[in-house]
Amino acid sequence: MPSSPPENLHGLLATMKRVAAILGEAGVDVVLAGGLAIWARGGPPTDHDVDFYVRPQDAERALDALTASGLRGERPPEGWLYKAWDGENLVDLIFRPAGGEVDHDLFQRATALEVSALTMLVASADDLLATKLLALTEQSPDYRAILEIARALREQVNWDRVEEWTSSSPFARAFFTLAEGLGIVERSQEARTLAAVPR
């Protein structure tokens, strides 16, 4: 039986639309990322925050546009994202996700989809899964959410490509062994051979 959408999903979607409109007026190109992008592609609903990919050269301008429109901005020390608060809703402006920068190719891989009656670019399933896998660490090696996302999006994912992108991560390599054993992923012989090469 499907679970009910989180109570704050409508609030997050309203924030998503507001931020997309502000950044569009400021001439900042964005790609919807994170939990809302996964949900837009058929994955589980999110109750966390609103994520957008922006090009590194646009990040400062994007944050300035949001703060000028009344959101509370923040430049955390991590150096790969900026944050803005729309009331209680958090917006992440991500310009250096795990695995690389936001570049022309990421925008090209994105798809224009209708999200809550608004058409916008949504990150590819490949980028979404790769980012999730590369974010796994010894402090947060929880595969439960990623397996749920992988099951929901598996028909949209180029698994050989994602495995190649994430091959530097031991957690990603473990995921592919697990996902293949569970019947989520069908790996090519070439991918299995590459995964078996010692690093």
Side-chain angles (χ1 to χ4, degrees):
M1 184 175 183
S3 58
S4 301
E7 290 184 7
N8 66 334
L9 178 60
H10 292 298
L12 291 177
L13 291 171
T15 290
M16 176 199 75
K17 291 179 179 181
R18 181 184 180 195
V19 170
I22 293 168
L23 296 181
E25 290 176 5
V28 176
D29 295 327
V30 298
V31 172
L32 185 66
L36 283 180
I38 291 166
W39 174 73
R41 287 194 169 277
T46 183
D47 62 356
H48 190 47
D49 56 16
V50 180
D51 296 326
F52 284 107
Y53 289 141
V54 298
R55 295 183 179 92
Q57 62 268 31
D58 292 336
E60 287 285 346
R61 185 156 53 97
L63 186 62
D64 289 345
L66 295 182
T67 55
S69 296
L71 279 72
R72 177 167 56 87
E74 181 183 342
R75 292 174 173 82
E78 292 91 332
W80 57 272
L81 84 168
Y82 292 148
K83 296 177 179 289
W85 294 89
D86 179 27
E88 296 183 353
N89 293 331
L90 172 62
V91 179
D92 286 338
L93 301 174
I94 301 167
F95 48 91
R96 290 192 184 90
E101 289 193 352
V102 177
D103 57 14
H104 173 77
D105 290 341
L106 184 146
F107 273 80
Q108 288 295 107
R109 290 190 298 268
T111 308
L113 298 176
E114 187 175 292
V115 187
S116 189
L118 179 65
T119 300
M120 63 175 59
L121 284 177
V122 176
S124 72
D126 293 1
D127 283 297
L128 294 168
L129 262 295
T131 300
K132 288 285 186 184
L133 287 169
L134 290 171
L136 289 172
T137 65
E138 289 187 47
Q139 288 72 40
S140 58
D142 185 358
Y143 289 95
R144 180 174 52 186
I146 292 179
L147 288 170
E148 183 180 7
I149 293 165
R151 284 188 187 280
L153 304 188
R154 60 182 169 184
E155 299 300 327
Q156 303 176 49
V157 179
N158 182 329
W159 290 109
D160 285 353
R161 177 192 289 170
V162 173
E163 186 167 13
E164 180 182 353
W165 285 352
T166 61
S167 62
S168 62
S169 166
F171 299 100
R173 296 199 298 273
F175 164 83
F176 275 95
T177 299
L178 179 60
E180 185 179 31
L182 293 171
I184 299 172
V185 175
E186 291 185 12
R187 299 158 87 193
S188 67
Q189 186 57 48
E190 180 183 1
R192 288 196 194 95
T193 301
L194 287 172
V197 175
R199 288 167 174 78

